[in-house]
Amino acid sequence: MPQLTFEARSEAQTALELACEHLLALQDEAGWWRGELQTNVTMDAEDMLLREFLGVRRAQETERSAAWIRSQQRADGTWANFYGGPGELSTTIEAYWALRLAGDHADAEHMRAAAEFIRGEGGLERARVFTHLWLALFGLWSWDRVPALPPEVILLPRWVPLNVYDFACWARQSIVAVSLVKARRPVRPLPFDLDELRVRDSAEGEPRPAPGDRTTARRAAWLRRLDRILRAYERRPLGALRRLALTRGERWIVRRQEADGSWGGIQPPWVYSLIALHVGGFPVEHPVIRRGLEGLNRFMVEDHDDSRGVGAPAGASRRLEACQSPVWDTALAMVALSDAGLPGEHPAMVHAAAWLLGEEVSKRGDWSIARPDLEPGGWAFEFANVNYPDVDDTAEVVLALHRVDSRAPGGGAWPAPPIGAGIDRAVARALRWTEGMQSSDGGWGAFDTDNTRVLVRELPFLDFGEVIDAPSADVTAHALEMFGVLGLGDAPVARRAVQWLFDQQEPDGSWFGRWGINHVYGTGAVLPGLIAAGVDPSRECIRRAVRWLEQHQNEDGGWGEDPRSYDDPSWIGRGQSTASQTAWALLALHAAGERSRALARGVAWLVATQRSDGGWDEPQYTGTGFPSDYYINYHLYRLTFPIMALGRCLAGVPDGAGEAAGAPELQG
């Protein structure tokens, strides 16, 4: 690495060792790693509202949640969806409402500031549909003004457009649950209203579309007519058909509850499923409801005076994780430590591998609807999510297991057999499953195959978040990297993926990032994947990506990209430097064979910004749940990815370069 002086290399090596010590200290005694998955305060507001609806809200828990919500309010009175972002209407409405529930007076200064912003943005009338749904649950919005979503959707066969399997798995579970709730139209009155948040220029009929509202503007005329027809049907449904739909929907929901009490391991279908079952007659003492509530409590991050989290208020507070990421975090930690030089027989690596092997999914989930002949395999994101393994986690776990010494004892009775046999079998199953999950165009989505019916995006009910699981560059690149590192870069499954990635490159040379922000993430994933599969680094598509990264390096030597890049092209590749995004850029440059001044400056930025404990500060959100709508701060990203980048850059050998099986003869 000629651009680094001896002194700079020494400093980088010291930083790497310090970061590894910090990461190793975070490993759980069971073998896994897990960082907090931080989102926005709608999680906490809706948790309070859920407990109020179910009649289980407690004053002390409410106050701790309210303390967290208050701590996240900005100086202008608003709440945002990501650090440094603009105030967001629906998020601010839900936060304000939760604080009213906690006892904050509407005339308090912080509440007046929030209410002024809400009214200025159009009031309750302009909120997203799911906020209107919550308002309707408490009699603060008319059910007649919530778009149609009849529960009979559960009865549509797979071949009929707009059946539940046309939706991505995260949307599918929410849709089924919400349709049952809407069919029953429950109301739990509150001792207060929210009239101070209303703008009464549209009190009757449909709310005015907000200026530039992308969802309203693109609704097709026939979908509006369909919505009117379905609303009419909702008022007078066919009795026998409605009863069948409700029964089947409840059975569908119950069968998909995970062992930890969740649904899909994520907040939205979790809370809506609990509400749907409760209004269908399940008491809070029912085992399904009880497990669900107990599981939510395990997703709570509790802070106290002596253990405050980043950004937490003084005193006790609590916040809800929308999801937990132990499989993902563990695989990334293993790859990072291996990149830093930790040997494959190290106890931390073997212990983590044994835990991952125990998390392999062996059950047929919703993915099997489209692939009924495919045998199970792979891994999910969470502790318990056997219904929804995903390609992204599966690829990263295989890459992690590939770093483990197969001769190391695998645990259990002594003398323990080598772990290698278990790894080999699990990897073989994962490769078969991943190959079978490839979409017809050569790319991979995260959870489903060919989940690309864009019509579902246009439904009036769905104005928040992505609702299909189309192939993405980052997931496809990770799957390709897995095949390449395992010597299958010239296999047909990899050749199709390479061509798909070539075709998806943006005109500026970058790749769009679906699950991370944004073009820095996409490009940081694609270049290592292509190189691992044997693509020649001198190809023009690789060179264009390198030039794009170099052109978007910040003056301080780091890289950053703001979540607003999903909506405003002027933000693409622009933002305050962060540890994780700088690492993604370095991983891409290194994979492409760069030993340049840009790479040296990026390494220097990581060294200069490291904390004394070996970690990095990163309040910015660099993960993506739904582009344009929902973002994530993965608390371990700021540690695992810099370790990967420093380890590879100091080693000086492109990852996978010696293991690839040759460059596919494709156009790029």
Side-chain angles (χ1 to χ4, degrees):
M1 191 171 167
Q3 292 292 332
L4 278 183
T5 65
F6 175 81
E7 181 181 2
R9 284 187 64 90
S10 177
E11 291 176 347
Q13 185 63 45
T14 300
L16 178 60
E17 291 171 1
L18 186 61
C20 288
E21 290 176 5
H22 185 45
L23 181 58
L24 284 167
L26 296 176
Q27 187 177 23
D28 188 85
E29 62 181 12
W32 46 262
W33 280 268
R34 177 173 65 86
E36 182 180 344
L37 192 152
Q38 183 180 351
T39 54
N40 64 65
V41 297
T42 60
M43 299 297 100
D44 313 289
E46 291 176 6
D47 180 73
M48 291 169 61
L49 293 170
L50 169 69
R51 294 171 191 274
E52 174 70 17
F53 186 87
L54 297 179
V56 298
R57 185 170 63 85
R58 297 184 177 90
Q60 290 184 344
E61 293 173 347
T62 295
E63 182 48 42
R64 295 201 301 277
S65 295
W68 172 255
I69 293 173
R70 292 187 200 102
S71 75
Q72 300 304 295
Q73 189 176 22
R74 290 113 57 81
D76 63 359
T78 68
W79 283 266
N81 281 348
F82 58 90
Y83 178 84
E88 206 283 323
L89 174 61
S90 292
T91 301
T92 301
I93 289 172
E94 294 186 23
Y96 175 98
W97 183 11
L99 293 182
R100 285 290 311 272
L101 197 64
D104 290 21
H105 294 292
D107 58 358
E109 183 178 354
H110 67 292
M111 300 292 277
R112 289 201 311 270
E116 183 177 354
F117 168 80
I118 292 168
R119 291 191 299 269
E121 292 293 305
L124 297 182
E125 293 81 359
R126 293 277 181 82
R128 59 179 172 245
V129 169
F130 278 88
T131 300
H132 287 162
L133 173 70
W134 280 102
L135 291 166
L137 286 170
F138 293 94
L140 301 174
W141 190 262
S142 170
W143 281 110
D144 289 333
R145 299 186 67 190
V146 179
L149 188 66
E152 286 80 1
V153 67
I154 193 68
L155 304 177
L156 294 177
R158 179 78 175 85
W159 53 268
V160 174
L162 304 182
N163 72 87
V164 295
Y165 297 102
D166 277 350
F167 298 87
C169 68
W170 58 86
R172 178 185 315 141
Q173 297 176 88
S174 295
I175 289 298
V176 173
V178 169
S179 72
L180 303 189
V181 175
K182 193 169 186 302
R184 292 187 164 111
R185 298 188 168 204
V187 173
R188 303 284 193 272
L190 292 172
F192 60 87
D193 58 38
L194 294 176
D195 284 351
E196 69 272 20
L197 304 184
R198 298 184 188 276
V199 176
R200 300 185 182 278
D201 58 354
S202 56
E204 301 297 332
E206 295 298 319
R208 287 188 300 120
D213 187 328
R214 70 186 193 282
T215 305
T216 302
R218 70 188 183 193
R219 290 176 184 169
W222 78 268
L223 281 171
R224 290 196 297 268
R225 290 196 296 272
L226 176 62
D227 183 60
R228 288 195 293 270
I229 292 169
L230 292 177
R231 286 185 195 229
Y233 174 77
E234 284 184 329
R235 288 191 290 271
R236 301 188 65 177
L238 296 175
L241 195 64
R242 174 56 56 90
R243 289 190 294 273
L244 176 62
L246 292 174
T247 300
R248 187 171 297 181
E250 287 180 359
R251 186 183 306 125
W252 191 96
I253 292 171
V254 171
R255 286 176 175 173
R256 282 161 176 76
Q257 187 178 36
E258 301 287 348
D260 64 354
S262 73
W263 277 267
I266 53 177
Q267 184 265 4
W270 198 339
V271 298
Y272 297 132
S273 294
L274 288 173
I275 294 171
L277 295 176
H278 185 59
V279 300
F282 286 56
V284 293
E285 298 82 13
H286 191 282
V288 171
I289 304 293
R290 189 178 66 249
R291 283 197 301 270
L293 290 172
E294 290 171 352
L296 281 174
N297 289 334
R298 289 191 293 271
F299 274 53
M300 284 291 176
V301 178
E302 296 276 0
D303 281 327
H304 305 282
D305 287 322
D306 58 348
S307 60
R308 295 201 299 268
V310 176
S317 68
R318 75 180 204 157
R319 56 192 180 273
L320 178 68
E321 289 185 277
C323 186
Q324 293 181 340
S325 52
V327 173
W328 182 244
D329 286 340
T330 299
L332 293 175
M334 292 173 67
V335 172
L337 291 168
S338 176
D339 284 335
L342 198 72
E345 69 272 14
H346 190 282
M349 296 287 286
V350 177
H351 198 24
W355 182 80
L356 285 174
L357 290 176
E359 294 298 304
E360 184 188 6
V361 174
S362 59
K363 175 182 175 180
R364 293 180 184 275
D366 281 4
W367 55 268
S368 65
I369 300 296
R371 292 290 186 270
D373 298 326
L374 184 61
E375 291 298 318
W379 284 265
F381 188 70
E382 303 88 350
F383 283 115
N385 189 0
V386 298
N387 290 300
Y388 301 102
D390 69 273
V391 172
D392 222 7
D393 276 276
T394 298
E396 202 62 44
V397 168
V398 170
L399 290 170
L401 294 176
H402 185 66
R403 309 295 188 97
V404 178
D405 190 332
S406 62
R407 298 165 298 178
W414 187 260
I419 198 171
I423 289 176
D424 290 344
R425 289 191 294 268
V427 167
R429 288 188 291 268
L431 288 171
R432 287 194 297 269
W433 183 77
T434 304
E435 181 173 3
M437 292 295 290
Q438 189 173 33
S439 290
S440 57
D441 62 3
W444 277 277
F447 298 90
D448 284 302
T449 305
D450 288 319
N451 189 259
T452 56
R453 197 186 295 276
V454 296
L455 177 64
V456 301
R457 288 174 171 166
E458 309 299 328
L459 294 176
F461 201 96
L462 301 172
D463 66 345
F464 175 76
E466 180 59 275
V467 291
I468 62 174
D469 188 11
S472 67
D474 40 302
V475 175
T476 300
H478 292 152
L480 177 63
E481 185 177 7
M482 174 186 69
F483 284 108
V485 167
L486 268 61
L488 299 171
D490 203 32
V493 62
R495 291 172 61 86
R496 295 179 63 225
V498 169
Q499 187 63 62
W500 188 89
L501 287 171
F502 285 166
D503 294 340
Q504 295 298 313
Q505 189 173 24
E506 301 290 332
D508 63 9
S510 67
W511 277 271
F512 177 87
R514 163 62 181 88
W515 295 97
I517 300 169
N518 173 350
H519 293 254
V520 175
Y521 182 74
T523 308
V526 169
L527 289 192
L530 289 175
I531 300 304
V535 174
D536 190 333
S538 67
R539 275 185 178 269
E540 178 55 24
C541 65
I542 305 294
R543 293 298 97 202
R544 287 198 297 130
V546 167
R547 288 194 294 271
W548 184 86
L549 287 168
E550 291 176 342
Q551 290 164 1
H552 288 83
Q553 188 173 24
N554 288 333
E555 290 186 5
D556 61 11
W559 279 266
E561 186 169 358
D562 191 279
R564 281 169 281 201
S565 63
Y566 286 109
D567 303 299
D568 182 352
S570 69
W571 282 99
I572 290 176
R574 290 184 52 237
Q576 185 177 355
S577 295
T578 69
S580 59
Q581 290 168 320
T582 298
W584 298 337
L586 290 173
L587 291 169
L589 292 174
H590 182 267
E594 294 297 303
R595 303 297 179 266
S596 60
R597 182 171 180 269
L599 186 139
R601 291 177 63 222
V603 169
W605 185 89
L606 287 176
V607 172
T609 56
Q610 188 180 34
R611 297 192 314 240
S612 60
D613 67 355
W616 282 264
D617 288 322
E618 188 170 286
Q620 295 86 358
Y621 285 40
T622 64
T624 307
F626 304 141
S628 301
D629 290 302
Y630 194 78
Y631 305 105
I632 301 169
N633 183 336
Y634 290 96
H635 283 204
L636 269 189
Y637 274 18
R638 66 194 69 169
L639 185 58
T640 53
F641 285 112
I643 290 174
M644 284 185 208
L646 290 174
R648 294 184 195 180
C649 289
L650 289 172
V653 179
D655 182 61
E659 303 172 273
E665 293 300 322
L666 299 170
Q667 298 301 310

